Amino acid sequence: MKDIFDRTKGEEEKKQFYSNLKGAEREEYIQRKNLDFFLSLSSAKYPKEKKDILYQSIENRLFATRKLHKTSWKNTFVKYAAIVVFAICVGGWLSQLFFNNGSADRYMIKADKGSIAYTELEDGSKIWLNADTELNIVTCSDGKIVAHLDGEAFFDLIPNAERDFTVDVGNILIRDIGTKFNVNAYSEHRRIQTTLIEGKIEIYNRSGRKLVALSPGEMAQYGRKKKLMRIINTDVESAMAWRDGKLVFLNRTLGSIAHELEKWYDVDIQFENPKLRFEVFSCIVKRTTTIEPVMEMLKISAQIDYELIEHVDKKDEIIIK
Amino acid sequence: MRLDHKITFVGNEVEDRKVFKSIYYEYFDMLFHLCLKYIGDEAVSEEIVQDSFMKLWEGRQKLAADTHIRNILYTITKNSCLNFLRNQQTALKNRQNIHYLEMQFNYEALNRLGNANMEFDELKQQIDNAIASLPEDIREVFLMSRLEEMKYREIADKLGVSVKTVEAKMSKALSLLRNDLKDYLHIVIAISAGLN
């Protein structure tokens, strides 16, 4: 058996090797792999600097749990817990479709469930899409650009006095005046949240009446049902944390958090006690490959218990107790 | 010797944080090495090791007084690695992909690694002895490859021999070591076979 543990082995050689690994050779490989681990164990030393950094991050997560400032939402008792966790960036991917529609130019970008998409416009403006988001950018013949959004997107637009850029989220229109802003407008959510990071934006209702102009650091929260707009000061970092691969829930009901987790991890979440659905939480958790670490975080911060039932033939099930 | 590794939480948060820190520095190398060997990705390994320590902290009150911290950490980390490899296998749709193949074998190897690493101290001693008893020329090549992480080509250049010679010596080293350590490897593998 050639030594597959040689670091100079090429991809093709490795592939050959692994594809033909059977019987006694397979057995030998596995024993060697484990032997290799044991042999190198005693010499395993990693830089102190690396250890220190990672330890600091553990300490931050465990001991420096930070509370987000309160905003009263309904009159229920509201529990807050913010777990600020360092991000692992989930590689997002992007699907783009182009098609022409008469006089207007259409450009559709989509981020599927479980991924983040990113696109750049011709002038260098940048747009990020959160999971399960669809953005239709229509450029009218008169140069006006309207972006129809279902989901959540972050806009980093190059200032341009000539251009008229509006985000249409159904109930309201957000008009850009050279800015960085985040819009959270999933059609199934009751509220539309627009957060301004830099520059200036104006929000209009469908009949074209100006509702508000935002200043940086402010979030406009619009309730679709009550048609009420509230302006609150917000943590700008939290509003954008999703771009770094974090799951961000600000003043969200457990029901809507569960809904989002279902989207990300393709699981079915049930509530044993339906009242839990209306409990409100804030938390930021790193997005991980499996749902378990996220549920563990929720378990601690939201003081819930859960059970994970794995299925082969259908989606895994999570029961929140 | 082994008792020295028994660090225990006392139930006082301030004291426990100190204990936690010393546990971290004591076992980081071992756990990180475990992840890196079987997963091969540094960033993922860092995540898994951090998570292991966090799990230990969160579960510290449930630990029995005589719990062997190292075994717990080892088991948590090993399970996380197995989970990761399993999920990766599911995620990699193209079964011909080399990473898929590699992970499949790594999963199998890791799965058979002991479930408790009680033998580590003893095993380490035996390994050191076995390496010391290798013929001089073979040991030289082996240490360059394993300790200094040199590539076969680099070793060959340094010693002024052919890559084929290095390959042959490594192969010899591994088979000698495997022979010397077979009782121990057997134990390690047997333990996991019995438990799975």
Side-chain angles (χ1 to χ4, degrees), chain A residues 3 6-7 15 26-27 30 33-34 36 38 40 43 46 50-52 54 57 61 88 286 290, chain B residues 24-25 29 33 37-38 42 46-47 50-51 87 96 108-109 112 120 123 145-147 152:
Chain A
D3 189 2
D6 180 14
R7 295 169 187 86
K15 193 174 170 180
R26 182 194 179 98
E27 183 63 31
I30 284 168
K33 177 85 199 169
N34 287 349
D36 193 63
F38 281 116
S40 51
S43 61
Y46 295 93
K50 179 196 194 86
K51 282 184 244 185
D52 290 346
L54 293 177
S57 136
R61 295 195 220 176
I88 50 163
K286 65 175 175 168
T290 60
Chain B
Y24 172 86
Y25 281 96
D29 284 337
H33 193 66
K37 270 283 164 189
Y38 290 89
E42 282 211 23
E46 286 173 6
E47 278 292 328
Q50 286 183 313
D51 280 349
N87 287 327
Q96 283 311 301
E108 202 173 316
R112 284 166 52 176
F120 272 18
L123 190 68
S145 167
R146 284 301 180 277
L147 298 191
Y152 285 11

